[in-house]
Amino acid sequence: MPVPDRTTTRDMWAAVHAERAALADQLSTLDDEQWAAPSLCGRWSVREVVAHLTAAASVGRVRWLLSVLGARFDFDLHNQRRLAEHLGDTGQGTLAGFREVVTSTIAASGHTSAWLGEVVVHGQDIRRPLGLPVTTPPERAEKVARFFASRDFTVPSRTTCEGLRLRADDSGLDVGTGPDVVGPTVALTLVLAGRAAFLEDLTGPGVAILADRIGT
């Protein structure tokens, strides 16, 4: 029988805060070239991803709704406008703003797993291209992977893994049925978020199916 998940909302916010703090510490060592480097998040630079994370921790439900309405439900425009509010003049200026929200519990919804996913995924959007080490514990990423596998929220993650079995080799994650996809929990989480760069970390007959679904 599966063990019930007894993680509380307080536990989840503590995990979010720990992820933000670890990322902020790594960002403190970046030079100007690294701040301007492309991330894995579309056209955004590393500095822009950090500004986006700051915005996500600064906009509550009412302001988020007003912002989306103001952008006429163009979520790219909404994100870009909020990002611009928190983009410092320099990388270190942007980092200073991010440090101010490390312990924030402001969010646009009550889905704390999603906000943990926000920093786990965008943290890797930064770390991977810069060659920075992964600091996310597998058991923390497992919370996000289970959430992603259970629903299509901000990304079509449940659709992406439908008919596949995801098994982590470093945590208790084992969800779904079908052809196996095996690898580190963080890599499985990032692939569910649509990051094709992490497919190379996975093995099993289901990897080719994932690659086709997220587009390589």
Side-chain angles (χ1 to χ4, degrees):
M1 294 288 293
V3 178
D5 186 351
R6 302 189 187 281
T7 306
T8 66
T9 299
R10 179 180 293 182
D11 294 334
M12 292 299 292
W13 277 119
V16 172
H17 299 160
E19 279 296 303
R20 290 175 183 159
L23 179 60
D25 287 344
Q26 286 183 305
L27 294 171
S28 67
T29 67
L30 302 191
D31 58 30
D32 290 344
E33 183 177 352
Q34 289 172 307
W35 278 109
S39 73
L40 296 184
C41 191
R43 64 183 183 279
W44 287 351
S45 68
V46 167
R47 186 159 67 100
E48 288 170 322
V49 172
V50 176
H52 171 72
L53 284 171
T54 304
S58 305
V59 179
R61 298 185 189 190
V62 173
R63 192 176 175 214
W64 180 88
L65 180 59
L66 291 173
S67 177
V68 169
L69 288 171
R72 297 184 179 182
F73 292 94
D74 182 336
F75 289 95
D76 287 339
L77 177 59
H78 154 75
N79 281 328
Q80 200 63 39
R81 285 175 172 175
R82 303 290 72 79
L83 178 159
E85 291 178 345
H86 298 279
L87 190 65
D89 293 335
T90 65
Q92 290 302 317
T94 303
L95 176 58
F98 181 56
R99 285 194 183 279
E100 290 179 3
V101 301
V102 163
T103 59
S104 170
T105 56
I106 295 172
S109 78
H111 299 86
T112 48
S113 295
W115 307 119
L116 176 58
E118 182 88 355
V119 66
V120 168
V121 171
H122 286 317
Q124 290 307 113
D125 284 338
I126 291 168
R127 292 184 179 102
R128 187 78 168 204
L130 294 181
L132 298 176
V134 178
T135 61
T136 303
E139 60 273 15
R140 190 178 296 159
E142 182 181 349
K143 303 291 186 186
V144 181
R146 290 186 182 279
F147 178 78
F148 282 174
S150 69
R151 68 180 68 190
D152 292 337
F153 191 64
T154 57
V155 291
S157 47
R158 180 180 179 179
T159 300
T160 296
C161 67
E162 186 175 1
L164 298 172
R165 181 184 181 188
L166 308 182
R167 292 194 296 113
D169 56 18
D170 58 358
S171 77
L173 180 69
D174 188 342
V175 295
T177 57
D180 276 0
V181 179
V182 184
T185 313
V186 168
L188 290 165
T189 304
L190 269 288
V191 168
L192 287 176
R195 296 337 190 239
F198 288 83
L199 287 166
E200 64 186 43
D201 298 345
L202 306 177
T203 60
V207 174
I209 298 171
L210 276 178
D212 182 63
R213 289 178 180 176
I214 67 177
T216 55

